[in-house]
Amino acid sequence: MNLPSCIQLLEAKPGYPVLHVQHRNATGTIALHGAHVMEWMPAHSDPVLYMSPQAVIEKGKPIRGGIPVCWPWFGPHADSSKPAHGFVRVMMWEFDRVRETPAGVDVVLRLADSPETRALWPFAFEARLHISMGLELEVGLEMTNTDTKPWTASGALHSYFSVGDVRQITIHGLHGTQYVESRLSPDKRPQDGPLVIDQEVDRLYASDAAVIVDDPVMQRELRIEKAGSLSTVVWNPWIEKSTRLSDLPDDAYPDFVCVETVNAGDDTVTLEPGETHLLFTRLCVRSLKELPMPDPSLSGSGMFA
Ligand code: TA6
């Protein structure tokens, strides 16, 4: 694969290839394992995605952070011998297309069914992950039914966002939507106003709306737009669950929130042979830092005096 000069193919560890992007509009890292966007930092911004300092970088293991691609099922499988959140996030994808544009880089990775996948999920498919990385980040999971029979899948772009303190953020865009709190009963509840995080939150919202995370500590807003999705998950493990996750420091729960673009619950996807579905998210960050006022003494007698 001929790579543009702004992309380097490195090895995070032997046999674990990653693409390192250094474009004027953004830097980032994409692992071929799981087609996993691990890092994204738009120019003039702090890193947007959270990566656990204890993340496991090992074939066959999910990465705690970045944007895990969860498919063809979301959450645990009824057969506990099968991996949670599907198998594509723990398999090696292959290059499909890579190009540099004035706005950033476009990377497309591909994964199709194999004897290994069919042993876990007995259907033929072709998946492509489209990544456009620049001042914004667009990620699209395109799934095609290449089988001779219909199949139904669920999935998610399970994005981890860095925040200054999860206890101080406010999440807007979900007011008035119904949600199920997975830790409690399956009853649906209405979201009343913005969401604040003051306990473990693991909620599946029936929503096709964009979500805004207002982060007063980092003085920025994260905007999570989406298409091809009628469900959004908001998750933070809080204190107790964090101690049960070996790939997350016990004291790391304040450092991130997951806002996930999902097809799950009542929003699973059934495709006839030959049909395609795109699960898409666009991430934007807006700084709220006060720009320094121009020093009037420097205005001089220029044309704008
Ligand atoms: O998306 C929320 C969730 O389903 C939580 O229940 C929690 O399990 C989280 O995903 C992380 O899942 P993982 O398999 O990556 O540890």
Side-chain angles (χ1 to χ4, degrees):
M1 168 67 63
N2 291 325
L3 295 175
S5 60
C6 68
I7 297 182
Q8 284 184 293
L9 181 58
L10 306 171
E11 286 202 318
K13 56 194 316 184
Y16 202 100
V18 296
L19 294 173
H20 188 57
V21 176
Q22 288 217 299
H23 188 278
R24 71 169 183 278
N25 283 342
T27 60
T29 306
I30 301 165
L32 269 65
H33 183 269
H36 198 120
V37 179
M38 298 174 74
E39 299 173 309
W40 170 53
M41 188 163 68
H44 318 301
S45 170
D46 295 316
V48 177
L49 303 177
Y50 173 80
M51 180 58 65
S52 168
Q54 294 174 195
V56 174
I57 305 302
E58 188 179 315
K59 281 183 184 175
K61 304 279 189 187
I63 300 172
R64 178 74 59 202
I67 305 178
V69 179
C70 304
W71 195 81
W73 59 83
F74 179 75
H77 193 284
D79 173 352
S80 59
S81 70
K82 297 185 179 182
H85 287 322
F87 49 76
V88 302
R89 68 172 177 167
V90 292
M91 287 188 175
M92 201 63 77
W93 293 51
E94 59 188 21
F95 282 114
D96 190 69
R97 295 191 301 279
V98 180
R99 69 175 182 156
E100 178 180 1
T101 70
V105 298
D106 295 336
V107 174
V108 182
L109 302 176
R110 178 184 178 274
L111 180 72
D113 62 283
S114 64
E116 183 186 8
T117 68
R118 289 192 294 272
L120 293 166
W121 193 64
F123 300 102
F125 69 89
E126 184 177 53
R128 280 187 172 80
L129 195 78
H130 300 259
I131 303 159
S132 290
M133 183 179 284
L135 292 175
E136 297 181 344
L137 175 63
E138 295 183 346
V139 178
L141 173 62
E142 177 193 348
M143 50 195 84
T144 300
N145 181 344
T146 55
D147 209 313
T148 56
K149 54 189 177 296
W151 46 245
T152 297
S154 57
L157 299 172
H158 192 301
S159 307
Y160 285 73
F161 295 99
S162 275
V163 295
D165 182 346
V166 80
R167 296 161 294 198
Q168 300 188 48
I169 65 172
T170 307
I171 299 175
H172 302 271
L174 296 166
H175 171 67
T177 59
Q178 298 288 312
Y179 71 87
V180 172
E181 172 56 74
S182 72
R183 300 178 299 111
L184 307 174
S185 69
D187 299 335
K188 293 185 177 177
R189 299 166 170 82
Q191 176 62 40
D192 181 21
L195 170 60
V196 294
I197 310 283
D198 56 5
Q199 60 186 318
E200 180 183 352
V201 168
D202 190 353
R203 296 181 179 180
L204 176 65
Y205 286 87
S207 169
D208 62 356
V211 167
I212 288 181
V213 178
D214 181 8
D215 182 343
V217 173
M218 294 190 76
Q219 295 181 286
R220 70 182 186 184
E221 268 183 5
L222 305 174
R223 183 176 175 84
I224 300 103
E225 300 174 351
K226 66 175 187 173
S229 161
L230 300 178
S231 41
T232 296
V233 166
V234 177
W235 176 60
N236 181 274
W238 205 244
I239 300 166
E240 196 275 327
K241 183 156 190 180
S242 294
T243 62
R244 288 190 274 122
L245 297 172
S246 60
D247 56 356
L248 185 73
D250 292 355
D251 61 354
Y253 72 92
D255 302 337
F256 73 94
V257 66
C258 286
V259 179
E260 306 163 35
T261 297
V262 180
N263 289 136
D266 299 333
D267 176 31
T268 56
V269 175
T270 297
L271 296 181
E272 295 293 329
E275 286 189 328
T276 292
H277 177 74
L278 180 68
L279 179 61
F280 173 84
T281 193
R282 175 184 297 120
L283 311 180
C284 322
V285 57
R286 181 166 76 93
S287 173
L288 302 176
K289 290 176 183 164
E290 293 297 322
L291 295 175
M293 294 303 289
D295 180 341
S297 66
L298 298 178
S299 59
S301 57
M303 69 175 84
F304 298 108

